[in-house]
Amino acid sequence: MRGRFPFARTLSALTTLLVFPLTGTAPASASPGRECATPSVDRLQQWLASGEGTTVPATGSLLVPEGHRYAAKVTFLNAEWHVAVVWLGNRFEAQADLSRSAGFLLTYRATDDLYVQLRPASHWSGGDKWLTLVPSTGGRLVTRFFGFSPRRWTWLPELGQPSYSFASALAEARGLVFVGKTPNELEFRGLRIDGYRPPCL
């Protein structure tokens, strides 16, 4: 297999050079393996509209067929807070210890800026969460790496200051929650977490 796809390997290397100097270095272990038997994006089966804010769809799964795979798509409407949830263990009661993870690789498109919150099992509800900016892509599909370095994560006064540490959130991560206060058209094609392989259900 080593010599049969030199162009593909070269293209992959060039893509890494073009993307990651702007966003950080993606760890080699950020690969989750095969997809699940039921719809999933990088083995994550639960991409959900929570019913908070006006969204399309309003509730339920965001997963839709995209060629031979699936994508998670949601539209945020109006100038209000919207919430889209990803359960890391594919069920609400599950949690993952991401203490040793370098971060996650996100392939997405967005027409405006938004945030992603890291929500722990012990402090799931409410807006007072550690979060980081997910920049607008102008509607283009891009891949960016988001590191778990504490200096890259903050909180918004409008949503409240977390009463727990970022380190504790990593240790008992239940989900990544995408939130935004502006109209936005979102599509997620990949979410690979360094050192973590979601269990298919």
Side-chain angles (χ1 to χ4, degrees):
M1 295 291 290
R2 182 174 297 273
R4 291 176 60 186
F5 303 102
F7 176 75
R9 290 199 304 275
T10 301
L11 181 60
S12 177
L14 287 174
T15 301
T16 300
L17 289 173
L18 289 171
V19 174
F20 294 120
L22 300 177
T23 57
T25 302
S29 57
S31 176
R34 293 183 179 180
E35 291 292 355
C36 300
T38 58
S40 64
V41 172
D42 283 330
R43 297 177 62 89
L44 294 164
Q45 298 165 291
Q46 299 294 330
W47 297 73
L48 305 168
S50 71
E52 300 168 84
T54 308
T55 63
V56 179
T59 58
S61 178
L62 308 181
L63 293 173
V64 296
E66 190 68 40
H68 298 295
R69 302 175 68 86
Y70 283 86
K73 296 184 180 183
V74 63
T75 301
F76 293 171
L77 304 174
N78 306 328
E80 58 187 1
W81 283 107
H82 315 83
V83 178
V85 178
V86 184
W87 293 348
L88 298 181
N90 288 324
R91 57 188 179 89
F92 181 73
E93 298 80 7
Q95 63 187 61
D97 184 353
L98 303 181
S99 299
R100 298 185 178 183
S101 175
F104 61 92
L105 196 65
L106 186 67
T107 299
Y108 74 105
R109 66 174 89 241
T111 55
D112 204 350
D113 291 347
L114 68 155
Y115 300 92
V116 61
Q117 299 176 328
L118 178 66
R119 292 203 183 188
S122 63
H123 295 81
W124 174 259
S125 299
D128 53 344
K129 303 293 180 282
W130 295 103
L131 52 74
T132 192
L133 178 70
V134 179
S136 168
T137 70
R140 297 178 298 110
L141 188 68
V142 304
T143 297
R144 287 193 169 97
F145 182 72
F146 295 83
F148 282 145
S149 169
R151 63 186 176 83
R152 296 182 179 272
W153 292 74
T154 186
W155 51 276
L156 296 180
E158 182 177 353
L159 298 178
Q161 182 175 0
S163 60
Y164 55 92
S165 68
F166 181 67
S168 69
L170 280 174
E172 52 167 331
R174 174 173 283 172
L176 291 173
V177 177
F178 295 92
V179 300
K181 198 178 180 180
T182 58
N184 209 338
E185 294 184 18
L186 298 167
E187 178 180 354
F188 302 97
R189 296 279 191 96
L191 202 174
R192 299 184 177 187
I193 303 170
D194 170 49
Y196 177 65
R197 188 173 189 264
C200 291
L201 299 182

